Amino acid sequence: MGFYSNLIIPYCIEFAMSGSTLEEYRQQLLADVSGEILEIGFGTGLNLPHYPDNVSKITTIDPNVGMQKLARARIAASNISVDHKVLNGESLPMADGSFDSVVCTWTLCSIPQADKAIAEVYRLLKPGGRFFFIEHGLSQDPKIQAWQNRLTPIQKAIADGCHLNRQIKHIVQQKFNDVTIEQFYAPKLPKVIGYMYRGIAVK
């Protein structure tokens, strides 16, 4: 992690991922999260205010140490105890079946080997545990897909590895058979970055 990734990207993420529309999506996704919870890609802690009132503790991971500076204020203001670890999602030290719920929001786009991260999610969930996710990715419109493919190399360079053209549904279904998913355009975002996959996968 260099200067740009540690010191510039956290502020860019904070700005780009805030706002009422994304807050509403976060709140909807997290409404039924329960039990022992792992959040992959904690970032600056934007999900934290939207967990249900009965959640008292979460374990979080993020590989970018620069995110922690912005996250600290949210953690301090929250009633939720956060056990934060600086780790990447592709190889995690927790034991099999450690969690009832795993949360991932707008993170699979930037994990270098997203398929390995999904395999880890599956491993860490208890039987019957649920994976809650919302991600942006490849549109179903061929014209939008063409632009997503053209722009992804630029996006990866300026947005810390973010891909515009990942097939999120396919990535999740590589490990999970029981997946409920919605695909839609976020109304206030350009279509090239605003095609959303929101769902719950059950182990």
Side-chain angles (χ1 to χ4, degrees):
M1 295 283 182
F3 173 85
Y4 179 75
S5 183
N6 280 331
L7 297 178
I8 305 299
I9 282 293
Y11 289 93
C12 295
I13 294 293
E14 176 78 5
F15 176 77
M17 301 309 297
S18 299
S20 59
T21 297
L22 299 187
E23 284 183 1
E24 183 177 348
Y25 293 157
R26 295 177 195 278
Q27 189 171 14
Q28 292 168 354
L29 182 73
L30 297 173
D32 295 323
V33 173
S34 61
E36 294 290 328
I37 300 165
L38 171 68
E39 182 176 334
I40 294 174
F42 185 62
T44 64
L46 286 165
N47 284 337
L48 201 52
H50 304 292
Y51 278 97
D53 291 340
N54 61 348
V55 172
S56 60
K57 178 185 175 182
I58 60 174
T59 301
T60 66
I61 67 163
D62 199 290
N64 189 329
V65 296
M67 298 286 187
Q68 293 181 68
K69 181 179 179 180
L70 294 176
R72 286 191 195 107
R74 276 194 187 93
I75 294 171
S78 176
N79 293 324
I80 299 173
S81 173
V82 177
D83 179 11
H84 182 65
K85 304 177 186 298
V86 180
L87 296 167
N88 68 63
E90 298 147 318
S91 180
L92 296 170
M94 299 85 158
D96 295 0
S98 294
F99 298 97
D100 300 286
S101 302
V102 177
V103 171
C104 190
T105 61
W106 297 291
T107 296
L108 290 176
C109 61
S110 57
I111 296 176
Q113 295 176 293
D115 56 334
K116 287 189 175 182
I118 291 298
E120 283 292 84
V121 169
Y122 189 88
R123 179 183 71 80
L124 291 172
L125 280 171
K126 299 175 184 178
R130 295 180 292 174
F131 174 45
F132 297 80
F133 63 92
I134 183 166
E135 303 287 343
H136 73 104
L138 190 69
S139 169
Q140 291 184 318
D141 182 338
K143 292 181 180 178
I144 302 300
Q145 288 181 4
W147 278 106
Q148 289 177 314
N149 291 330
R150 288 187 194 109
L151 294 173
T152 286
I154 300 170
Q155 177 76 357
K156 287 169 62 179
I158 65 174
D160 212 26
C162 173
H163 295 67
L164 299 171
N165 59 353
R166 283 195 166 161
Q167 296 179 324
I168 301 299
K169 182 177 180 180
H170 174 71
I171 292 170
V172 174
Q173 288 181 332
Q174 284 182 321
K175 288 300 296 185
F176 289 90
N177 295 321
D178 185 353
V179 182
T180 302
I181 191 166
E182 303 170 76
Q183 295 175 228
F184 58 94
Y185 286 109
K188 297 181 181 180
L189 294 176
K191 288 185 176 182
V192 73
I193 63 170
Y195 191 74
M196 299 294 171
Y197 296 74
R198 177 173 61 194
I200 299 173
V202 182
K203 180 173 179 178

